[in-house]
């Protein structure tokens, strides 16, 4: 079984990707410092997979930790999820974000070059497009100035990867630009586990449904969209996980010094109000929500053109928005009980 290092593998997207990797015949080796996840995720993963998962607790900024893991598991590729991701916090503590998100990529690339580990899939984000002029966004839609230090770390990391490949370091890279991951593993054993107040809509919705939050505020209903609320492209986390497996397979077929970038979304936009109403309908729950003022810096509407990932990687989403919202609620209920 080919081993793949998953940095941040105990986190939301990383843990679901570990499941999909194993299904596809890879062995995931997780490295996580649990700064934004819990060690119980590793036990839950083992329950889903039916065997123990290799996990190292450590910081991927530390080359010594990478050395130790490599000496025990000769991984042939890396999926680099580990990063801080709270947009608001990044504006208050930008150095924390640059140090972890940019610093860890540099340490990792250095290490990969030294050991001859060739394949890396990087977690980028649709945030690099900012407020796009034309929709849907393709991979060649111009990137805009980042709205936050967090967003900037994603742009900088993409640029570092491009330059590193150009330097003939012998490495093969795919950056995946995620749109809005939602949902949870259908078993309800793993899912998104935000620390404190959720930054993302769906955990806010599920926590409100569970009575943990009093109500949801919809930030603006007077935008130029079907119902006035903002539009996003919500992608089930299991589909997103599968995109990583497809990306690794594709990297395997490429020659050295390869770089490419793919959008990972459904190709459809849904409004915030549509999410609330669909959640209510699918789960037969009434949500307490109200309309508030617009939020500074919010992108009004964005969704992906997925032509490239469909045709090049042969990747298509399998889950519907209804599946996502059902699975998210199922996961939240398991957390409460
Ligand atoms: N969730 C989203 O909405 C979204 C959207 C676009 C891009 N992304 C990117 O995808 C990646 C994964 O996101 P997620 O939602 O799973 O986040 P997450 O916080 O759930 O997972 C990240 C994991 O990385 C770990 N980590 C952080 N710094 C580390 C370090 N230095 N060493 C070891 N482990 C470390 C955390 O403990 C956590 O388990 C991130 O790079 C994020 O920026 C996420």
């Amino acid at each position: 079984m080919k081993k793949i290092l998953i940095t941040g593998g105990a986190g939301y997207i990383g843990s679901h990707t570990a499941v999909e990797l194993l299904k596809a015949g890879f062995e995931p080796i997780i490295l996580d410092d649990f700064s934004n996840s819990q060690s119980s995720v590793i036990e839950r993963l083992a329950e889903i997979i039916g065997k123990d998962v290799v996990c190292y607790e450590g910081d991927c900024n530390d080359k010594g930790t990478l050395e130790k893991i490599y000496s025990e598991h000769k991984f042939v590729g890396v999926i680099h999820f580990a990063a801080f991701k709270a947009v608001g916090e990044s504006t208050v503590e930008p150095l924390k974000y640059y140090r972890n998100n940019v610093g860890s990529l540099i340490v990792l690339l250095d290490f990969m070059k030294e050991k001859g580990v060739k394949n890396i899939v990087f977690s980028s984000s649709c945030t690099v497009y900012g407020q796009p002029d034309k929709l849907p966004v393709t991979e060649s839609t111009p990137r805009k100035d980042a709205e936050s230090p967090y967003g900037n770390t994603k742009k900088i990391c993409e640029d570092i990867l491009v330059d590193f490949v150009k330097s003939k370091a012998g490495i093969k890279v795919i950056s995946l630009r995620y749109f809005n991951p939602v949902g949870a593993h259908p078993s309800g054993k793993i899912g998104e586990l935000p620390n404190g107040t959720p930054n993302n809509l769906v955990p806010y919705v599920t926590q409100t449904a569970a009575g943990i939050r009093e109500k949801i505020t919809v930030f603006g209903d007077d935008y130029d969209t079907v119902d006035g609320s903002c539009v996003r492209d919500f992608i089930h986390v299991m589909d997103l996980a599968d995109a990583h497996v497809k990306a690794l397979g594709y990297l395997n077929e490429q020659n050295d010094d390869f770089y490419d970038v793919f959008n990972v979304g459904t190709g459809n936009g849904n409004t915030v109000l549509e999410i609330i109403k669909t959640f209510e309908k699918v789960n037969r729950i009434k949500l307490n929500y109200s309309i508030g003022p617009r939020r500074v810096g919010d992108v009004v509407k964005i969704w992906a053109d997925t032509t490239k990932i469909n045709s090049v990687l042969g990747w298509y989403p399998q889950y519907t928005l209804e599946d996502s919202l059902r699975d998210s609620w199922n996961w939240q209920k398991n957390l409460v009980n």
Side-chain angles (χ1 to χ4, degrees), residues 187-263:
S187 67
K189 288 182 191 289
I190 53 172
E192 189 169 7
L193 197 57
N195 269 341
T197 310
N199 294 301
N200 292 336
L201 173 65
V202 171
Y204 215 102
V205 165
T206 59
Q207 290 193 8
T208 305
I212 300 167
R213 311 268 152 213
E214 197 198 323
K215 71 170 183 193
I216 305 153
T217 305
V218 177
F219 299 108
D221 69 345
D222 55 354
Y223 288 111
D224 176 23
T225 64
V226 284
D227 56 24
S229 62
C230 290
V231 175
R232 297 286 179 274
D233 184 336
F234 297 92
I235 165 94
H236 197 293
V237 66
M238 293 304 292
D239 281 328
L240 182 53
D242 178 47
H244 293 79
V245 176
K246 299 260 187 329
L248 274 179
Y250 186 65
L251 279 181
N252 205 27
E253 296 163 5
Q254 307 308 315
N255 296 323
D256 285 2
D257 308 313
F258 173 86
Y259 180 85
D260 212 344
V261 56
F262 295 92
N263 286 339

Coordinates of all heavy atoms in Angstrom, one line a residue, residues 187-263:
S187 N -21.8 8.1 8.1 CA -21.9 7.4 9.4 C -22.2 8.3 10.5 O -22.6 7.8 11.6 CB -20.6 6.6 9.7 OG -19.5 7.6 10.0
G188 N -21.9 9.6 10.4 CA -22.1 10.5 11.5 C -21.0 10.5 12.5 O -21.1 11.1 13.6
K189 N -19.9 9.7 12.2 CA -18.9 9.6 13.2 C -17.8 10.7 13.2 O -17.1 10.9 14.1 CB -18.2 8.2 13.0 CG -19.0 7.0 13.5 CD -18.2 5.7 13.3 CE -19.1 4.5 13.5 NZ -19.6 4.3 14.9
I190 N -17.6 11.3 12.0 CA -16.7 12.4 11.9 C -17.5 13.5 11.1 O -18.4 13.3 10.3 CB -15.4 12.0 11.1 CG1 -15.6 11.4 9.8 CG2 -14.5 11.2 12.0 CD1 -14.4 11.2 8.9
G191 N -17.0 14.7 11.3 CA -17.6 15.9 10.7 C -16.9 17.2 11.0 O -15.7 17.1 11.6
E192 N -17.5 18.3 10.8 CA -16.8 19.5 11.1 C -17.0 19.9 12.6 O -18.1 19.8 13.1 CB -17.4 20.7 10.3 CG -16.6 22.0 10.4 CD -17.0 23.0 9.3 OE1 -18.0 22.8 8.6 OE2 -16.3 24.1 9.3
L193 N -15.9 20.2 13.3 CA -15.9 20.4 14.7 C -15.3 21.7 15.1 O -14.1 21.8 15.5 CB -15.1 19.2 15.4 CG -15.3 19.0 16.9 CD1 -16.8 18.7 17.2 CD2 -14.5 17.8 17.3
P194 N -16.0 22.8 14.9 CA -15.4 24.1 15.1 C -15.1 24.4 16.6 O -15.9 24.0 17.4 CB -16.4 25.1 14.5 CG -17.7 24.4 14.4 CD -17.4 22.9 14.5
N195 N -14.0 25.1 16.8 CA -13.7 25.5 18.2 C -14.4 26.8 18.4 O -14.3 27.8 17.6 CB -12.2 25.8 18.3 CG -11.4 24.6 18.7 OD1 -12.0 23.7 19.3 ND2 -10.1 24.6 18.5
G196 N -15.3 26.9 19.4 CA -16.0 28.1 19.7 C -17.0 28.5 18.7 O -17.6 27.6 18.1
T197 N -17.2 29.8 18.5 CA -18.3 30.2 17.6 C -17.9 29.8 16.1 O -16.8 30.2 15.7 CB -18.5 31.7 17.6 OG1 -18.6 32.1 19.0 CG2 -19.7 32.2 16.9
P198 N -18.8 29.1 15.4 CA -18.4 28.7 14.1 C -18.3 29.9 13.1 O -19.0 30.9 13.2 CB -19.6 27.8 13.6 CG -20.4 27.5 14.8 CD -20.1 28.6 15.8
N199 N -17.3 29.8 12.2 CA -17.1 30.8 11.2 C -17.9 30.5 9.9 O -18.1 31.4 9.1 CB -15.6 30.9 10.8 CG -14.8 31.4 12.0 OD1 -15.0 32.5 12.5 ND2 -13.8 30.6 12.4
N200 N -18.3 29.3 9.8 CA -19.0 28.8 8.6 C -20.5 28.7 8.8 O -20.9 28.4 9.9 CB -18.4 27.5 8.1 CG -17.0 27.7 7.6 OD1 -16.5 28.8 7.2 ND2 -16.2 26.6 7.6
L201 N -21.2 28.8 7.7 CA -22.7 28.9 7.9 C -23.3 27.5 8.4 O -24.1 27.6 9.3 CB -23.3 29.2 6.5 CG -24.8 29.1 6.3 CD1 -25.5 30.1 7.2 CD2 -25.2 29.2 4.9
V202 N -22.9 26.4 7.8 CA -23.6 25.2 8.1 C -23.4 24.8 9.6 O -24.4 24.4 10.3 CB -23.3 24.1 7.1 CG1 -23.9 22.7 7.6 CG2 -23.9 24.5 5.7
P203 N -22.2 24.8 10.1 CA -22.1 24.5 11.6 C -22.9 25.5 12.4 O -23.5 25.1 13.5 CB -20.6 24.7 11.9 CG -19.9 24.5 10.6 CD -20.9 25.0 9.5
Y204 N -23.0 26.7 12.0 CA -23.9 27.6 12.7 C -25.3 27.2 12.7 O -26.1 27.2 13.7 CB -23.7 29.1 12.1 CG -23.8 30.1 13.2 CD1 -22.7 30.7 13.7 CD2 -25.1 30.4 13.8 CE1 -22.8 31.7 14.7 CE2 -25.2 31.4 14.8 CZ -24.0 32.0 15.3 OH -24.1 32.9 16.3
V205 N -25.7 26.7 11.5 CA -27.1 26.2 11.3 C -27.3 25.0 12.2 O -28.3 24.9 12.9 CB -27.3 25.9 9.8 CG1 -28.6 25.0 9.6 CG2 -27.4 27.1 9.0
T206 N -26.4 24.0 12.2 CA -26.7 22.8 12.9 C -26.6 23.1 14.5 O -27.4 22.6 15.2 CB -25.6 21.7 12.6 OG1 -24.3 22.2 12.9 CG2 -25.8 21.3 11.2
Q207 N -25.7 24.0 14.9 CA -25.7 24.4 16.3 C -26.9 25.1 16.7 O -27.4 25.0 17.9 CB -24.4 25.2 16.6 CG -23.1 24.3 16.5 CD -21.9 25.0 17.1 OE1 -22.0 26.0 17.7 NE2 -20.8 24.4 16.9
T208 N -27.5 25.9 15.8 CA -28.8 26.6 16.2 C -29.9 25.5 16.3 O -30.7 25.6 17.2 CB -29.1 27.7 15.1 OG1 -28.0 28.5 15.0 CG2 -30.3 28.5 15.5
A209 N -29.9 24.6 15.3 CA -30.9 23.6 15.4 C -30.8 22.8 16.7 O -31.8 22.3 17.2 CB -30.8 22.7 14.1
A210 N -29.6 22.6 17.1 CA -29.3 21.8 18.4 C -29.6 22.6 19.6 O -29.4 22.1 20.7 CB -27.9 21.2 18.3
G211 N -29.8 23.9 19.5 CA -30.1 24.8 20.6 C -28.8 25.3 21.3 O -28.9 25.9 22.4
I212 N -27.7 25.1 20.6 CA -26.4 25.6 21.2 C -26.3 27.1 20.9 O -25.8 27.9 21.7 CB -25.2 24.9 20.6 CG1 -25.3 23.4 20.9 CG2 -23.9 25.5 21.1 CD1 -24.4 22.5 20.1
R213 N -26.8 27.5 19.7 CA -26.8 29.0 19.4 C -28.3 29.4 19.4 O -29.2 28.6 19.0 CB -26.3 29.2 18.0 CG -24.9 28.6 17.7 CD -23.8 29.5 18.1 NE -22.6 28.7 18.4 CZ -21.7 29.0 19.3 NH1 -21.8 30.2 19.9 NH2 -20.7 28.2 19.6
E214 N -28.5 30.7 19.7 CA -29.9 31.1 19.8 C -30.6 31.3 18.4 O -31.7 30.8 18.2 CB -30.0 32.4 20.6 CG -31.3 32.7 21.1 CD -31.4 34.2 21.4 OE1 -30.4 34.8 22.0 OE2 -32.5 34.8 21.1
K215 N -29.8 32.0 17.5 CA -30.4 32.2 16.2 C -29.3 32.5 15.1 O -28.2 32.9 15.5 CB -31.4 33.2 16.2 CG -30.9 34.6 16.3 CD -32.0 35.6 16.1 CE -31.5 37.0 16.2 NZ -32.4 38.1 16.2
I216 N -29.7 32.3 13.9 CA -28.8 32.6 12.8 C -29.1 34.0 12.3 O -30.2 34.3 12.1 CB -29.0 31.6 11.6 CG1 -28.9 30.1 12.1 CG2 -28.1 31.8 10.5 CD1 -29.7 29.2 11.3
T217 N -28.0 34.7 12.0 CA -28.2 36.0 11.4 C -27.8 35.9 9.9 O -26.7 35.5 9.6 CB -27.4 37.1 12.1 OG1 -27.7 37.1 13.4 CG2 -27.7 38.5 11.5
V218 N -28.7 36.3 9.0 CA -28.3 36.3 7.6 C -27.8 37.7 7.3 O -28.6 38.7 7.5 CB -29.6 36.0 6.7 CG1 -29.3 36.0 5.2 CG2 -30.1 34.6 7.1
F219 N -26.6 37.8 6.9 CA -26.0 39.1 6.7 C -26.3 39.7 5.3 O -25.6 39.6 4.4 CB -24.5 39.0 6.9 CG -24.0 38.5 8.2 CD1 -23.5 37.3 8.4 CD2 -24.2 39.3 9.4 CE1 -23.2 36.8 9.7 CE2 -23.9 38.9 10.6 CZ -23.3 37.6 10.8
G220 N -27.5 40.3 5.3 CA -27.9 41.0 4.1 C -28.9 40.2 3.3 O -28.7 39.0 3.0
D221 N -30.1 40.8 2.9 CA -31.0 40.2 2.0 C -31.3 41.1 0.8 O -32.4 41.0 0.2 CB -32.2 39.7 2.7 CG -33.1 40.8 3.2 OD1 -32.7 42.0 3.2 OD2 -34.3 40.5 3.5
D222 N -30.4 42.1 0.6 CA -30.7 43.1 -0.5 C -29.6 43.1 -1.5 O -29.4 44.1 -2.2 CB -30.9 44.4 0.1 CG -29.7 44.9 1.0 OD1 -28.8 44.1 1.2 OD2 -29.7 46.0 1.5
Y223 N -28.9 42.0 -1.6 CA -27.9 41.8 -2.7 C -28.6 41.5 -4.0 O -29.7 41.0 -4.0 CB -26.9 40.7 -2.4 CG -25.9 41.1 -1.3 CD1 -26.0 40.4 0.0 CD2 -24.9 42.0 -1.4 CE1 -25.1 40.7 1.0 CE2 -24.0 42.3 -0.4 CZ -24.1 41.6 0.8 OH -23.2 41.9 1.8
D224 N -27.8 41.6 -5.1 CA -28.4 41.3 -6.4 C -28.3 39.7 -6.6 O -27.5 39.2 -7.4 CB -27.5 42.0 -7.5 CG -28.0 41.7 -8.9 OD1 -29.1 41.2 -9.0 OD2 -27.2 41.8 -9.8
T225 N -29.1 39.0 -5.9 CA -29.2 37.5 -6.1 C -30.6 37.1 -6.0 O -31.5 38.0 -5.7 CB -28.4 36.8 -4.9 OG1 -29.1 37.1 -3.7 CG2 -27.0 37.2 -4.8
V226 N -31.0 35.9 -6.3 CA -32.4 35.5 -6.4 C -33.2 35.9 -5.2 O -34.4 36.3 -5.3 CB -32.6 33.9 -6.6 CG1 -32.3 33.6 -8.0 CG2 -31.8 33.1 -5.7
D227 N -32.7 35.7 -3.9 CA -33.5 36.1 -2.8 C -32.8 37.2 -1.9 O -33.2 37.5 -0.8 CB -33.8 34.9 -1.9 CG -32.5 34.2 -1.5 OD1 -31.5 34.8 -1.4 OD2 -32.6 33.0 -1.2
G228 N -31.7 37.8 -2.5 CA -31.0 38.9 -1.8 C -29.9 38.5 -0.9 O -29.1 39.3 -0.4
S229 N -29.8 37.2 -0.6 CA -28.7 36.8 0.3 C -27.5 36.2 -0.5 O -27.7 36.0 -1.7 CB -29.2 35.7 1.3 OG -29.6 34.5 0.7
C230 N -26.3 36.1 0.1 CA -25.1 35.8 -0.6 C -25.2 34.4 -1.2 O -25.8 33.5 -0.7 CB -23.9 35.9 0.3 SG -23.5 37.6 0.7
V231 N -24.4 34.2 -2.3 CA -24.4 32.9 -3.0 C -23.0 32.2 -2.8 O -22.0 32.9 -3.0 CB -24.7 33.1 -4.5 CG1 -24.6 31.7 -5.2 CG2 -26.1 33.6 -4.7
R232 N -23.0 30.9 -2.5 CA -21.8 30.1 -2.4 C -22.0 28.8 -3.1 O -23.1 28.4 -3.4 CB -21.4 29.8 -1.0 CG -21.1 31.1 -0.1 CD -19.8 31.7 -0.5 NE -19.5 32.9 0.3 CZ -19.9 34.1 0.0 NH1 -20.6 34.3 -1.1 NH2 -19.6 35.1 0.8
D233 N -20.9 28.1 -3.4 CA -20.9 26.8 -4.0 C -20.6 25.8 -2.9 O -19.5 25.6 -2.5 CB -19.9 26.8 -5.1 CG -19.9 25.5 -5.9 OD1 -20.3 24.5 -5.4 OD2 -19.4 25.5 -7.1
F234 N -21.7 25.1 -2.4 CA -21.5 24.2 -1.3 C -21.2 22.7 -1.8 O -22.0 22.2 -2.5 CB -22.8 24.2 -0.4 CG -23.0 25.5 0.2 CD1 -23.8 26.4 -0.5 CD2 -22.4 25.9 1.4 CE1 -24.1 27.7 0.1 CE2 -22.7 27.1 2.0 CZ -23.5 28.0 1.3
I235 N -20.1 22.2 -1.3 CA -19.6 20.9 -1.8 C -19.5 19.9 -0.7 O -19.0 20.3 0.4 CB -18.3 21.1 -2.6 CG1 -17.6 19.7 -2.8 CG2 -17.3 22.0 -1.9 CD1 -17.9 19.2 -4.1
H236 N -20.1 18.7 -0.9 CA -20.1 17.7 0.2 C -18.6 17.3 0.5 O -17.9 17.1 -0.5 CB -20.9 16.5 -0.2 CG -21.2 15.6 1.0 ND1 -20.3 14.9 1.7 CD2 -22.4 15.3 1.5 CE1 -20.9 14.2 2.6 NE2 -22.2 14.4 2.6
V237 N -18.3 17.2 1.7 CA -16.9 16.9 2.1 C -16.4 15.6 1.6 O -15.2 15.4 1.3 CB -16.7 17.1 3.7 CG1 -17.5 16.0 4.4 CG2 -15.2 17.1 4.1
M238 N -17.3 14.6 1.4 CA -16.9 13.3 0.9 C -16.5 13.5 -0.6 O -15.6 12.8 -1.1 CB -18.0 12.3 1.0 CG -18.3 11.9 2.4 SD -16.9 11.3 3.4 CE -16.6 9.8 2.6
D239 N -17.2 14.3 -1.3 CA -16.9 14.6 -2.7 C -15.5 15.3 -2.8 O -14.7 15.0 -3.6 CB -17.9 15.5 -3.4 CG -19.1 14.6 -3.8 OD1 -19.0 13.5 -4.2 OD2 -20.3 15.2 -3.9
L240 N -15.3 16.2 -1.9 CA -14.1 17.0 -1.8 C -12.9 16.0 -1.5 O -11.8 16.0 -2.1 CB -14.1 18.0 -0.7 CG -13.0 18.9 -0.5 CD1 -12.5 19.6 -1.8 CD2 -13.3 20.0 0.5
A241 N -13.2 15.1 -0.6 CA -12.2 14.1 -0.2 C -11.8 13.2 -1.5 O -10.6 13.0 -1.7 CB -12.7 13.2 0.9
D242 N -12.8 12.9 -2.2 CA -12.6 12.1 -3.4 C -11.7 12.8 -4.4 O -10.9 12.2 -5.1 CB -13.9 11.7 -4.0 CG -13.8 10.9 -5.3 OD1 -13.0 9.9 -5.3 OD2 -14.5 11.2 -6.3
A243 N -11.9 14.1 -4.5 CA -11.1 14.9 -5.4 C -9.6 14.8 -5.1 O -8.7 14.8 -6.0 CB -11.5 16.4 -5.4
H244 N -9.2 14.6 -3.8 CA -7.8 14.4 -3.5 C -7.3 13.1 -4.0 O -6.1 13.0 -4.4 CB -7.7 14.5 -1.9 CG -7.9 15.9 -1.4 ND1 -9.2 16.4 -1.2 CD2 -7.1 16.9 -1.1 CE1 -9.2 17.6 -0.8 NE2 -7.9 18.0 -0.7
V245 N -8.1 12.1 -3.9 CA -7.7 10.8 -4.4 C -7.5 10.8 -5.9 O -6.4 10.3 -6.4 CB -8.8 9.7 -4.0 CG1 -8.4 8.3 -4.6 CG2 -9.0 9.6 -2.5
K246 N -8.4 11.5 -6.6 CA -8.2 11.6 -8.0 C -7.0 12.4 -8.4 O -6.3 12.1 -9.3 CB -9.5 12.3 -8.6 CG -10.8 11.5 -8.4 CD -11.1 10.7 -9.6 CE -12.5 10.1 -9.7 NZ -13.1 9.6 -8.5
A247 N -6.7 13.5 -7.6 CA -5.6 14.3 -7.8 C -4.3 13.5 -7.7 O -3.4 13.7 -8.5 CB -5.6 15.5 -6.9
L248 N -4.2 12.7 -6.6 CA -3.0 11.9 -6.4 C -2.8 10.9 -7.6 O -1.7 10.8 -8.0 CB -3.2 11.1 -5.1 CG -2.7 11.8 -3.8 CD1 -3.0 10.8 -2.7 CD2 -1.3 12.2 -3.8
G249 N -3.9 10.3 -8.0 CA -3.8 9.4 -9.1 C -3.3 10.1 -10.4 O -2.4 9.6 -11.1
Y250 N -3.7 11.3 -10.6 CA -3.3 12.1 -11.8 C -1.8 12.5 -11.6 O -1.1 12.4 -12.6 CB -4.2 13.3 -11.9 CG -4.0 14.1 -13.1 CD1 -4.3 13.6 -14.4 CD2 -3.5 15.4 -13.1 CE1 -4.1 14.3 -15.6 CE2 -3.3 16.2 -14.2 CZ -3.6 15.6 -15.5 OH -3.4 16.4 -16.6
L251 N -1.4 12.9 -10.4 CA 0.0 13.3 -10.2 C 0.9 12.1 -10.6 O 2.0 12.3 -11.1 CB 0.2 13.7 -8.8 CG -0.2 15.1 -8.4 CD1 0.1 15.4 -6.9 CD2 0.5 16.1 -9.3
N252 N 0.5 10.9 -10.2 CA 1.2 9.7 -10.4 C 1.6 9.5 -11.9 O 2.6 8.9 -12.2 CB 0.4 8.5 -9.9 CG 1.3 7.4 -9.5 OD1 2.5 7.6 -9.1 ND2 0.8 6.2 -9.5
E253 N 0.7 10.0 -12.8 CA 0.9 9.8 -14.2 C 1.8 10.9 -14.8 O 2.1 10.8 -16.0 CB -0.5 9.9 -14.9 CG -1.4 8.8 -14.6 CD -2.9 9.1 -15.0 OE1 -3.1 10.1 -15.7 OE2 -3.8 8.3 -14.7
Q254 N 2.1 11.9 -14.0 CA 2.8 13.0 -14.6 C 4.4 12.9 -14.5 O 4.8 12.1 -13.6 CB 2.4 14.4 -13.9 CG 0.9 14.6 -13.9 CD 0.3 14.5 -15.3 OE1 0.8 15.0 -16.3 NE2 -0.8 13.7 -15.4
N255 N 5.1 13.6 -15.3 CA 6.5 13.7 -15.2 C 6.9 14.7 -14.1 O 6.0 15.5 -13.7 CB 7.2 14.1 -16.5 CG 6.9 13.1 -17.6 OD1 6.9 11.9 -17.3 ND2 6.7 13.5 -18.8
D256 N 8.1 14.7 -13.7 CA 8.6 15.7 -12.7 C 8.3 17.1 -13.1 O 8.2 17.4 -14.3 CB 10.1 15.5 -12.4 CG 10.4 14.2 -11.6 OD1 9.5 13.5 -11.3 OD2 11.6 14.0 -11.4
D257 N 8.4 18.0 -12.1 CA 8.2 19.4 -12.3 C 6.9 19.8 -13.0 O 6.8 20.4 -14.1 CB 9.4 20.0 -13.2 CG 10.7 19.6 -12.6 OD1 10.9 19.7 -11.4 OD2 11.6 19.1 -13.3
F258 N 5.9 19.3 -12.3 CA 4.5 19.5 -12.8 C 3.7 20.3 -11.9 O 3.8 20.1 -10.6 CB 3.9 18.1 -13.0 CG 2.4 18.1 -13.4 CD1 2.0 18.2 -14.7 CD2 1.4 18.1 -12.4 CE1 0.6 18.3 -15.0 CE2 0.1 18.1 -12.7 CZ -0.3 18.2 -14.0
Y259 N 2.9 21.3 -12.4 CA 2.0 22.0 -11.5 C 0.7 22.2 -12.2 O 0.6 22.5 -13.4 CB 2.6 23.5 -11.2 CG 1.6 24.3 -10.3 CD1 1.7 24.1 -9.0 CD2 0.7 25.1 -10.9 CE1 0.8 24.8 -8.1 CE2 -0.2 25.8 -10.1 CZ -0.1 25.7 -8.7 OH -1.0 26.3 -7.9
D260 N -0.4 22.0 -11.5 CA -1.7 22.4 -12.0 C -2.6 22.7 -10.9 O -2.4 22.4 -9.7 CB -2.3 21.2 -12.9 CG -3.2 21.8 -14.0 OD1 -3.5 22.9 -14.0 OD2 -3.5 21.0 -14.9
V261 N -3.7 23.4 -11.2 CA -4.7 23.9 -10.2 C -6.1 23.6 -10.7 O -6.4 23.6 -11.9 CB -4.5 25.4 -10.0 CG1 -4.6 26.2 -11.3 CG2 -5.4 25.9 -9.0
F262 N -6.9 23.1 -9.8 CA -8.3 22.8 -10.1 C -9.3 23.4 -9.1 O -9.0 23.3 -7.9 CB -8.5 21.2 -10.0 CG -7.7 20.5 -11.1 CD1 -6.4 20.0 -10.8 CD2 -8.2 20.3 -12.3 CE1 -5.7 19.3 -11.7 CE2 -7.5 19.6 -13.3 CZ -6.2 19.1 -13.0
N263 N -10.4 23.9 -9.6 CA -11.5 24.2 -8.7 C -12.2 22.9 -8.2 O -12.4 22.0 -9.0 CB -12.6 25.0 -9.5 CG -12.2 26.4 -9.8 OD1 -11.3 27.0 -9.2 ND2 -12.8 27.0 -10.9

